[in-house]
Amino acid sequence: MNKLVAVTFALVAGISLARADEAKPDAPPVPVDEATKKTTVDINDVRQFAAVFALVKQAYVEPVDDKTLLQSAVKGLLANLDPHSEYLDEKAMTELSEDTTGSYNGLGIEVLTIEGTLRVVAPIDDSPAERGGIKAGDIIVRIDGKPITSENASEASNLLRGKAGSQVTLGVVHEGASAPVEIKLTREPIRVASVRTRWIEPGYVYLRIAQFQEDTGGEVKRKLAKLRDKNQPVKGLVLDLRSNPGGLLTSAVEVSDDFLDSGLIVTTKGRLKQSDLAFNATRGDLIDGAPIVVLADNGTASAAEIVAGALKDNHRALIMGRRTFGKGSVQTVLPLDETHAIKLTTARYYTPSGVSIQAAGIQPDIELGDLKLVARDLPPSYITGERDLPNHLKGTNEKDGADGSKPAATARGEASDDYALSEALNVLKGLALQRKPASAAVEKKG
C-alpha cells in the first residue's frame, strides 16, 4: 500500500521521493539544493496518507474502491490550493468547453466555491438567474432544500446545470441581507451573446461584453464596423463590463488591442518560465481615439479586469462604477489523458503599471453607488423658457403643437433608466468636447 501511494503521489504531483533503501552504501552523498528539498515529500507524510487510505477502505460505513479514493485525494489536493484550481473529469471538461463557446443548459450563473459556500460572481445577461433577481455578491446556501457545506460545495455547483425545462429552487442570501430567500428558477438553454452594440445617442456607442469567449474579439470588430457603416462618426464609447465574470485571456488581450495603438496590455508571471508572458498592443484603434468610459462593478472579474486595467493604465479610458472583483490569477488546463485534466493556477497577471489586482480589484476613477433611476408617477412640469408659459407669443420659426425640443429621456432612450449608463454618457460628452480632432486618419485594425 505504501509503495502504491508513493508512486501515485510522484505521478500526480511531479515530486521526487527520497528512498534510503535505494541508495548505494558506498556512494558519496548527493548535494541537494533548497529547491529540491522543498519538492521532496517526507516519507512519514506518505506513510500517514497510506494509513488514512487503508483505514477508510477498511472502516468506512460503505465500501469505497481504490479509484474513487485516489480521485477524491486529487480533488482535495487541488481544492485546498485556491478557489480556481480543480480536477476536471469528463463532465467538467465538457462544461469548461461549453463556457468558452457560450452555450449550455442551466441557470446562467458564474459561481465560486469560497469557504464552503457558493458565491455568485455574476449572473449572465438575460438568463434565468438574472431574471430571477440573483446579483453579483449573492451567496447560494441551499439547492432544492439541501444545505451547501464545505464538504459538498464543489459538487453542489454542478447541480446548477441540468436538463432544459427542469426546475430548481435556490436559497439565496442577497448582499447586505441576514436571511436567505427562496428563488425558484427553470433551467433553459443558455446562449451567451458575448457582444452587443447600439447607438445611445447620435455619435455615442454602447458596447456591452457579457463574457470573454473564443470569438469575442472578432465580434467586437464586426459589430462596431456594422455600426460605422451608417457613416456616423463615433464621438465616444461606453464599454459596459458590469457583471462580466471573465473568460479567455487571449480574448481580453484582443479586445484591449482593439482600442490601443501601442503600449503594454498585460503581463503574467508564474514559477514556470513559460508562464512569464507579456502582451503588447499593435497599431490601430477601432474608434480613432474617441474617448471611452468603462462601466465596472463588483461582478467585473478576471479577463474583464484585464481589459479595464489595460485601458486605465494606458490612459485610454476612465473607469466608472464600483471596485472590481479582484481575480488576478491565470488558470491553465493541463491534460492528464483524453478525458481528464487539472485546471491549475499557474500565474498572476499584472496591469501595465505593474500592479497585481489579486484580491484588491481595480478602483474606479469615478465611483458610483449601486443606484437605480425610478420614474415619477407624474412627470414634473418645469418652466425652462418663454415657450413654456401659457399663451406665449409664438416665435417666428415655432410650429403649432411643437416646441422643437426633445425630452432628455426620449433622446437618451435606454440610458434614461440606467443610472450608471446615464452618468457615463454625461462624462463621455464632456470628454468629447475636450478632444481635439485627429489630424489624420488612424489605421484600422482587423
Side-chain angles (χ1 to χ4, degrees):
M1 179 67 72
N2 285 6
K3 187 173 182 180
L4 169 64
V5 176
V7 170
T8 303
F9 261 74
L11 289 175
V12 174
I15 55 178
S16 59
L17 297 175
R19 294 290 303 273
D21 55 347
E22 294 179 358
K24 295 181 180 179
D26 298 328
V30 178
V32 180
D33 59 23
E34 290 301 316
T36 303
K37 288 180 181 179
K38 291 179 181 178
T39 57
T40 300
V41 173
D42 189 296
I43 194 65
N44 292 324
D45 292 332
V46 176
R47 290 194 179 104
Q48 187 177 59
F49 176 84
V52 172
F53 190 99
L55 287 172
V56 171
K57 275 194 61 74
Q58 294 169 10
Y60 187 63
V61 64
E62 299 284 349
V64 188
D65 60 79
D66 290 351
K67 183 177 180 180
T68 300
L69 283 176
L70 288 172
Q71 286 191 342
S72 297
V74 172
K75 290 178 181 179
L77 184 152
L78 292 164
N80 285 320
L81 294 176
D82 63 69
H84 310 289
S85 296
E86 60 178 320
Y87 173 75
L88 303 176
D89 57 17
E90 188 172 3
K91 181 180 178 182
M93 289 186 71
T94 300
E95 291 177 354
L96 182 64
S97 176
E98 291 172 344
D99 287 340
T100 58
T101 56
S103 179
Y104 60 91
N105 292 328
L107 302 175
I109 317 177
E110 177 78 10
V111 296
L112 278 179
T113 304
I114 301 177
E115 296 178 352
T117 64
L118 291 182
R119 185 176 296 272
V120 176
V121 176
I124 293 169
D125 289 353
D126 196 30
S127 64
E130 186 192 50
R131 295 194 297 270
I134 292 178
K135 297 181 179 180
D138 289 350
I139 298 174
I140 301 173
V141 295
R142 289 191 296 270
I143 299 179
D144 283 335
K146 184 178 180 180
I148 295 173
T149 66
S150 56
E151 287 77 21
N152 67 9
S154 297
E155 290 74 16
S157 63
N158 297 327
L159 299 177
L160 300 176
R161 300 194 184 195
K163 186 178 179 181
S166 61
Q167 292 186 327
V168 61
T169 301
L170 306 182
V172 178
V173 179
H174 292 304
E175 189 174 9
S178 57
V181 295
E182 298 291 318
I183 301 178
K184 192 173 185 178
L185 302 172
T186 301
R187 299 181 182 92
E188 63 183 46
I190 304 297
R191 291 179 177 86
V192 182
S194 177
V195 180
R196 299 202 311 268
T197 57
R198 60 179 170 83
W199 293 104
I200 313 172
E201 286 188 9
Y204 295 95
V205 174
Y206 174 80
L207 170 60
R208 165 66 179 165
I209 301 180
Q211 188 174 341
F212 287 89
Q213 301 167 6
E214 291 174 352
D215 195 36
T216 298
E219 277 290 291
V220 169
K221 291 182 178 71
R222 287 190 291 272
K223 293 194 174 183
L224 285 180
K226 186 175 180 180
L227 276 183
R228 298 193 68 170
D229 283 345
K230 299 178 180 179
N231 297 318
Q232 173 82 331
V234 176
K235 298 178 183 178
L237 179 142
V238 176
L239 175 55
D240 190 352
L241 298 179
R242 290 174 294 180
S243 295
N244 181 320
L248 298 177
L249 169 66
T250 50
S251 293
V253 169
E254 189 176 357
V255 169
S256 301
D257 194 14
D258 285 341
F259 302 107
L260 292 171
D261 268 326
S262 61
L264 186 63
I265 294 174
V266 66
T267 58
T268 64
K269 297 179 182 178
R271 293 177 60 206
L272 301 178
K273 186 177 181 180
Q274 55 265 41
S275 298
D276 296 343
L277 302 171
F279 298 88
N280 292 281
T282 56
R283 182 169 174 74
D285 182 339
L286 292 180
I287 57 173
D288 301 336
I292 299 173
V293 172
V294 177
L295 290 177
D297 62 11
N298 301 145
T300 304
S302 190
E305 292 175 286
I306 289 176
V307 175
L311 297 182
K312 179 180 181 179
D313 285 5
N314 281 288
H315 307 288
R316 183 65 186 88
L318 286 177
I319 312 299
M320 176 181 280
R322 304 166 71 188
R323 180 181 64 82
T324 61
F325 187 80
K327 181 183 177 294
S329 60
V330 179
Q331 282 69 47
T332 303
V333 177
L334 304 172
L336 298 174
D337 55 40
E338 292 183 357
T339 57
H340 299 82
I342 63 171
K343 185 173 71 171
L344 189 66
T345 299
T346 54
R348 296 173 185 261
Y349 73 75
Y350 297 82
T351 65
S353 62
V355 175
S356 169
I357 65 161
Q358 176 61 26
I362 294 175
Q363 292 292 339
D365 298 299
I366 303 172
E367 191 163 354
L368 297 177
D370 188 17
L371 304 176
K372 292 183 179 179
L373 297 179
V374 180
R376 294 172 180 262
D377 293 334
L378 293 174
S381 178
Y382 294 122
I383 295 177
T384 60
E386 175 74 13
R387 69 179 60 186
D388 297 317
L389 295 174
N391 301 319
H392 69 274
L393 183 66
K394 287 184 171 55
T396 304
N397 297 320
E398 186 178 355
K399 297 180 181 179
D400 290 338
D403 63 3
S405 66
K406 288 184 178 180
T410 302
R412 293 193 179 196
E414 294 180 37
S416 62
D417 58 4
D418 187 331
Y419 168 67
L421 179 56
S422 178
E423 291 299 301
L425 183 58
N426 288 333
V427 171
L428 206 55
K429 288 181 174 179
L431 294 173
L433 288 173
Q434 295 177 351
R435 185 189 177 212
K436 295 180 181 179
S439 58
V442 179
E443 177 189 349
K444 303 291 190 302
K445 290 188 181 183

